[in-house]
Amino acid sequence: MAASTESFYLGFDFSTQQLKVVAVDGNLSVVHQDNVQFDSELPEFGTQGGVHIHADSLTVTSPVLMWVKALDLILGKMKNAGFDFSRVKALSGSGQQHGSVYWRKGTNQVLRDLQPGKSLHELLKGGFAVSDSPVWMDSSTTEQCQYLETAVGGAQRVADITGSRAYERFTGNQIAKIYKAQPEKYEDTERISLVSSFAASLFLGSYAAIDYSDGSGMNLMDIFSKQWADSCLEATAPHLEERLGAPVHSSAVLGLLSPYHVTRYGFPEDCKVVAFTGDNPGSLAGMRLQEGDIAVSLGTSDTVFLWIKEPRPTVEGHIFCNPVDRPSYMALICYKNGSLTRERIRNKCAGGSWEVFSSVLRTTPIGNYGNIGIYFDAMEITPSAVGVHRFDKENTKVSGEIRALVEGQFLAKRVHAEKLGYKIIPGTRVLATGGASSNKDILQVLSDVFDAPVYTIDVANSACLGCGYRALQGDTNTPALNHQLILVFGLNHNSGFSWCYCRARTKDCACSSSPGPELKNAAIGTLMEIHVQSDSCCYSI
């Protein structure tokens, strides 16, 4: 353990499968770490992979008390190891988006009166009207989604208000299902929290407010007024606004840490609790995006993060309030056909060799002679379509594979990003992560399509990184970042955890836009026009 005057940063990660903690000192050296595996160390909850998958294979939940008991267990381990909690000054965190927790009537008073001699899971055993929380993996609310869109005026109208069309995993539709299927439990509910605000409540000692960014993933909040939308509330459940409480901005200081934790573990009395947010907004903060930037995760599925000033919601993709800059927004676009599709074309056209695949990319000119490919091996998310389609500059179906695939995937990302309001501006950067970001020839195509330099970044547990950033942002009374101690809780659906610091790190530029802008822009422009036309055709497939 470091000297008694040393300051510590703690990182907690409540993932789907485990709770993990890492402690670092002011130099970001790890001084303590531990974990709790839900399935093996808390077998009484009967989870597999940290969740309960119900008989219909659509309903997926997690026991609320499992999360609470895991926190008891890991804090106890730290205390027994002699960890000094008195050096922690502020905390924030993130939670898996869309999950919801239903506090039973009277539980707020229980939170205020927590007895330090007992564990949290003992004190809160009777505190939840719904014992198993719906989580992001749930897809059982199609009926509720259809009703919401009909009641509000269609999918586009829901998106215009809330930033997204109605989705099964979104919280409002989960609430509507509980109200319809279990009205007595809804009636017994005093407050509905997101997973993020639930976690914050355990530290605050009272119900924590939902922040604007995570609240954007509920199909309930007007992302422009940053208030609950009456039309969506009325289509979901009665007296819902009073159960949600008023939302707050993502860097709001909610209050000081509960006396329970001060007495039981020795936290300082002035330890601040900054609003918790969702894991996706936390990731945007952790990746240090700024206006004009785009982050592209190239994995089994591809994900695009955007910083937007003037959003234009559509029925594809999601727009959330920005967790870092209040007037701005962020967008999230998901694509199912990512690395598996790239691997299939590699196996088919390059004999399973990435070297051959890359060589073809290098030797085929930008624009692929006007040929483009759209490859949806599995039913795509953006747009909802399936099948393989190849076109030339005359919009006639043709053959051709490797560059057609890669350019087509990246052109789709640019087209859909611009539909949501994204603009390439001077200074735009593309931040790439995921397995395919190690292939510089793939990144070169990405750079050419966006006409911007590409940087590779390490975003392991970037939501936790973002929480540290927001905790610093929220704690405005601290004059120097180097002396601020942050307790960071990352509650997300990834099993890994590592501490990340929020300061900008030096990134190596992996690729810059290819020379010959006139030729390149003409080729890319032609392909984008083809892609817009063919993308529209995909809806009828």
Side-chain angles (χ1 to χ4, degrees):
M1 193 70 70
S4 60
T5 57
E6 185 59 83
S7 300
F8 297 144
Y9 299 77
L10 297 181
F12 286 79
D13 175 26
F14 288 75
S15 71
T16 303
Q17 300 184 53
Q18 66 176 319
L19 167 59
K20 195 170 184 180
V21 63
V22 174
V24 297
D25 62 20
N27 296 317
L28 305 181
S29 299
V30 175
V31 296
H32 183 90
Q33 57 185 327
D34 214 326
N35 69 84
V36 173
Q37 298 289 331
F38 295 152
D39 292 356
S40 60
E41 296 188 61
L42 297 170
E44 63 270 29
F45 293 99
T47 57
Q48 292 185 333
V51 300
H52 293 149
I53 300 177
H54 295 232
D56 62 2
S57 299
L58 300 174
T59 304
V60 183
T61 59
S62 290
V64 186
L65 281 176
M66 179 180 73
W67 296 332
V68 178
K69 193 169 184 179
L71 180 58
D72 284 329
L73 184 56
I74 205 163
L75 289 174
K77 286 183 177 184
M78 295 176 72
K79 184 176 181 180
N80 292 337
F83 185 83
D84 187 354
F85 292 95
S86 68
R87 302 173 201 176
V88 181
K89 302 300 182 185
L91 66 88
S92 185
S94 65
Q96 50 179 293
Q97 282 198 277
H98 318 305
S100 49
V101 174
Y102 301 78
W103 301 88
R104 176 166 284 142
K105 289 180 178 177
T107 305
N108 197 37
Q109 191 59 49
V110 175
L111 286 170
R112 295 178 184 277
D113 298 334
L114 292 173
Q115 303 169 38
K118 295 183 178 181
S119 64
L120 282 174
H121 80 273
E122 288 179 290
L123 294 167
L124 296 174
K125 187 171 294 185
F128 304 100
V130 178
S131 60
D132 262 25
S133 288
V135 295
W136 64 276
M137 298 168 65
D138 189 283
S139 58
S140 65
T141 63
T142 300
E143 176 186 343
Q144 286 73 29
C145 291
Q146 293 172 345
Y147 181 82
L148 175 64
E149 290 185 348
T150 300
V152 174
Q156 182 60 56
R157 181 56 183 158
V158 174
D160 288 339
I161 297 170
T162 71
S164 305
R165 66 170 302 166
Y167 283 91
E168 282 82 357
R169 66 186 183 277
F170 274 41
T171 321
N173 305 304
Q174 297 292 338
I175 295 171
K177 178 187 172 184
I178 286 176
Y179 168 66
K180 180 178 180 180
Q182 304 176 78
E184 72 288 350
K185 292 186 177 180
Y186 180 81
E187 180 60 30
D188 194 30
T189 297
E190 180 174 65
R191 175 64 71 96
I192 299 173
S193 292
L194 295 177
V195 177
S196 59
S197 57
F198 152 79
S201 301
L202 296 179
F203 295 98
L204 190 62
S206 62
Y207 295 148
I210 293 171
D211 82 293
Y212 295 154
S213 292
D214 209 7
S216 306
M218 300 175 72
N219 279 148
L220 291 176
M221 194 184 81
D222 185 324
I223 62 171
F224 297 101
S225 70
K226 298 180 173 61
Q227 300 298 320
W228 303 120
D230 290 339
S231 59
C232 297
L233 295 176
E234 291 168 2
T236 301
H239 309 296
L240 181 53
E241 185 170 8
E242 62 193 55
R243 287 174 167 84
L244 295 174
V248 298
H249 63 84
S250 300
S251 58
V253 175
L254 302 177
L256 299 180
L257 190 66
S258 167
Y260 171 88
H261 296 286
V262 174
T263 302
R264 187 173 177 89
Y265 298 107
F267 283 92
E269 293 182 356
D270 61 351
C271 181
K272 294 178 181 178
V273 179
V274 178
F276 283 37
T277 192
D279 56 351
N280 287 313
S283 292
L284 177 126
M287 290 186 286
R288 304 174 310 281
L289 262 66
Q290 57 195 28
E291 184 181 359
D293 285 350
I294 180 170
V296 182
S297 175
L298 301 171
T300 302
S301 58
D302 290 349
T303 305
V304 174
F305 289 84
L306 307 165
W307 181 299
I308 295 178
K309 280 288 189 182
E310 299 175 354
R312 297 194 300 265
T314 73
V315 295
E316 295 170 343
H318 312 288
I319 293 177
F320 305 135
C321 295
N322 192 302
V324 178
D325 183 49
R326 286 195 218 177
S328 299
Y329 295 83
M330 64 169 285
L332 181 68
I333 313 173
C334 301
Y335 300 87
K336 183 177 291 185
N337 294 279
S339 287
L340 294 181
T341 302
R342 290 187 285 270
E343 290 170 7
R344 180 180 70 79
I345 298 301
R346 176 204 64 185
N347 294 340
K348 175 184 175 182
C349 302
S353 168
W354 283 118
E355 288 76 13
V356 175
F357 186 98
S358 294
S359 177
V360 173
L361 280 179
R362 289 193 301 271
T363 56
T364 308
I366 294 172
N368 199 31
Y369 304 104
N371 300 320
I372 188 172
I374 300 173
Y375 295 78
F376 300 149
D377 290 352
M379 177 61 73
E380 184 53 78
I381 298 170
T382 311
S384 179
V386 69
V388 175
H389 314 273
R390 306 179 191 92
F391 303 88
D392 64 13
K393 60 184 178 181
E394 306 298 332
N395 205 20
T396 302
K397 290 190 175 182
V398 296
S399 60
E401 299 290 349
I402 292 179
R403 181 168 278 275
L405 163 70
V406 179
E407 283 186 343
Q409 287 185 328
F410 294 152
L411 284 167
K413 291 170 177 52
R414 178 168 171 178
V415 167
H416 294 133
E418 291 180 348
K419 284 182 179 179
L420 289 171
Y422 173 73
K423 297 178 181 178
I424 297 174
I425 62 175
T428 284
R429 303 172 303 166
V430 181
L431 310 180
T433 186
S437 67
S438 63
N439 187 314
K440 287 196 174 183
D441 294 292
I442 290 178
L443 296 188
Q444 184 63 63
V445 178
L446 180 61
S447 178
D448 292 336
V449 168
F450 281 90
D451 198 18
V454 173
Y455 298 83
T456 56
I457 56 174
D458 177 10
V459 293
N461 299 283
S462 55
C464 294
L465 170 63
C467 294
Y469 178 85
R470 293 186 311 99
L472 287 169
Q473 184 182 37
D475 188 14
T476 55
N477 292 327
T478 302
L481 300 185
N482 287 343
H483 299 99
Q484 176 58 28
L485 315 177
I486 309 300
L487 183 60
V488 180
F489 293 81
L491 199 57
N492 57 52
H493 44 74
N494 298 313
S495 60
F497 178 88
S498 69
W499 173 266
C500 299
Y501 195 40
C502 66
R503 282 183 175 174
R505 292 164 292 175
T506 301
K507 310 182 192 72
D508 293 328
C509 182
C511 295
S512 58
S513 186
S514 297
E518 295 83 2
L519 174 62
K520 182 195 68 177
N521 291 341
I524 294 299
T526 299
L527 289 178
M528 286 192 67
E529 182 178 355
I530 294 172
H531 200 286
V532 170
Q533 294 172 359
S534 56
D535 189 46
S536 300
C537 296
C538 287
Y539 290 94
S540 60
I541 292 171

